[in-house]
Amino acid sequence: EKHIDIVNIASLEQRVKDHMSNEKGAFGYIRGGSEDEWTMKQNTEAFNKKRIMPRVLQGIDHADLSTKLWDIDLKTPIIEAPSAAHGLAHAKGEVDTAKGVAAAGSIFSMSTYGSTSIEDGAAAAPDAPQFFQLYMSKDDKFNEFLIKKAVKAGVKAIILTVDSTLGGYREEDVINKFQFPLPMPNLAAFSDDDGEGKGISEIYAAAKQGIVPSDIQKIKDMSGLPVFVKGIQSPDDAELAIEFGADGIWVSNHGGRQLDGGPASFDVLPAIAQVVDKRVPVVFDSGVRRGEHVFKALASGADLVAVGRPIIYGLNLGGAQGVTDVIEHLNKELSITMQLAGTKTIHDVKNVDLL
Ligand code: FNR
């Protein structure tokens, strides 16, 4: 397949907008944030509040991006953030995303609201590590049904997203009267309601609104797998989640698509990492568009860094190859940043003190 030429990640947005010009609603849904998009903008700007002091004379002649999560070997600390409805971006949907992420030696996570079934996503890259992201339903039979499928498909962890008990108020979706034009096979497998032709608020209506700490243990018991709790912004919630059994903390504000007016995700990362104190792995996302951002997140306590929209943009522009190209571009920038900063390994980066 053809590579998509990437100069930087930020410029992909306009290319995708042009490419999807007949599908204004789909592009708006992918790009958009909630309300004034203040938090969304802060997410990327916040990285500028911290600086990397370059160390020279360190004899660093290349950077090694390889790392590990538990016993999973990864070629990069950059992973894919779970996101809904990849069929909006590309006909092959999550099948191509999973292939593209696998080719980069990273982790693909299937969303509950994927355009592809859990099984087909897993079969697309059978040897690569995958996670399953759960939007908990009010109906535990449905939760159990989905989790059983994910376990059978061989996923290595469940991501329990807790910041989306309803959908954020996304004005672009209102203006475009956006409704999902495609079915969601993971919903369809359980009931007649496959989500097709529904708006985001209707989709979330089936989700459990009042998620409580004991739900973490419930999902652990149902799955027998490690559970990441995704959508943590407060150190108190990180502590609470670990107390109630979380095997990983996923620091995220959903890319500024949920609560507007909250802090940039990067701004809350150091305090959360301090509370977690290496008891469990920390994944960070929201606003990452540069290898330099990845570096700063790792230096601020993240073990892995996830990207959402950039992956979907890569998928839209170039299918599986486009997804690989996005990760490899970020790898290239990260590699340059590491060498110029005087750090050879991901472990070295984690020990850097930012200014
Ligand atoms: C998301 N995100 C998301 N998260 C989740 O847990 N389940 C989901 O189904 C979705 N769906 C979704 C759709 C789209 C179009 C986007 C852009 C995002 C949030 C995602 O996992 C991640 O937190 C953000 O995308 C990170 O921010 P950036 O990298 O997009 O700035």
Side-chain angles (χ1 to χ4, degrees), residues 8 19 43 59 123 140 185 203 230 239-240 280 330 337 340 349:
N8 59 49
H19 195 217
N43 278 339
D140 269 332
I203 296 275
K230 176 171 181 280
E239 183 59 43
L240 194 61
V280 298
L330 288 167
T337 304
L340 294 178
V349 178

Side-chain angles (χ1 to χ4, degrees), residues 58 61 94 123 159 188 249 309 323 353:
Q58 303 291 304
D61 58 4
E94 287 82 358
I159 304 165
I249 296 294
R309 295 176 185 86
V323 169
D353 286 321

Side-chain angles (χ1 to χ4, degrees), residues 34-254:
S34 51
E35 300 184 13
D36 294 317
E37 300 186 336
W38 186 85
T39 297
M40 184 179 102
K41 288 172 200 145
Q42 295 296 312
N43 278 339
T44 300
E45 285 171 15
F47 293 104
N48 295 328
K49 296 181 195 166
K50 293 264 175 91
R51 292 165 295 268
I52 305 162
M53 177 60 81
R55 289 300 312 274
V56 295
L57 300 171
Q58 303 291 304
I60 308 294
D61 58 4
H62 76 285
D64 176 1
L65 270 56
S66 67
T67 189
K68 254 179 133 123
L69 173 74
W70 302 312
D71 62 347
I72 306 169
D73 286 312
L74 300 168
K75 283 195 191 143
T76 170
I78 301 162
I79 65 171
E80 183 250 3
S83 57
H86 288 196
L88 296 173
H90 194 279
K92 296 214 178 97
E94 287 82 358
V95 165
D96 262 28
T97 315
K99 283 184 182 163
V101 173
S106 185
I107 301 170
F108 167 77
S109 297
M110 174 66 81
S111 163
T112 294
Y113 302 151
S115 316
T116 306
S117 71
I118 299 170
E119 294 85 347
D120 289 351
D127 302 321
Q130 291 195 2
F131 294 167
F132 174 66
Q133 178 270 328
L134 179 71
Y135 278 131
M136 221 178 154
S137 165
K138 291 176 183 131
D139 182 354
D140 269 332
K141 285 205 190 82
F142 181 53
N143 296 323
E144 198 147 17
F145 174 80
L146 280 186
I147 285 173
K148 282 219 169 100
K149 276 154 72 82
V151 170
K152 202 167 161 212
V155 305
K156 306 263 186 249
I158 305 291
I159 304 165
L160 176 63
T161 300
V162 296
D163 62 9
S164 307
T165 53
L166 52 64
Y169 183 63
R170 304 179 199 154
E171 293 181 10
E172 205 152 328
D173 291 347
V174 176
I175 292 164
N176 294 325
K177 297 190 170 60
F178 178 70
Q179 297 192 318
F180 289 98
L182 302 161
M184 295 176 176
N186 297 321
L187 306 189
F190 186 73
S191 69
D192 299 337
D193 185 359
D194 65 2
E196 188 178 344
K198 284 191 159 178
I200 190 75
S201 54
E202 293 165 277
I203 296 275
Y204 278 126
K208 184 173 182 186
Q209 265 88 50
I211 296 184
V212 287
S214 58
D215 286 326
I216 300 168
Q217 190 61 49
K218 187 188 261 184
I219 302 305
K220 280 174 67 128
D221 292 343
M222 277 183 190
S223 65
L225 289 171
V227 171
F228 269 98
V229 179
K230 176 171 181 280
I232 298 291
Q233 292 279 278
S234 146
D236 291 344
D237 281 337
E239 183 59 43
L240 194 61
I242 292 176
E243 235 171 78
F244 279 79
D247 302 283
I249 296 294
W250 194 304
V251 177
S252 168
N253 60 27
H254 218 103

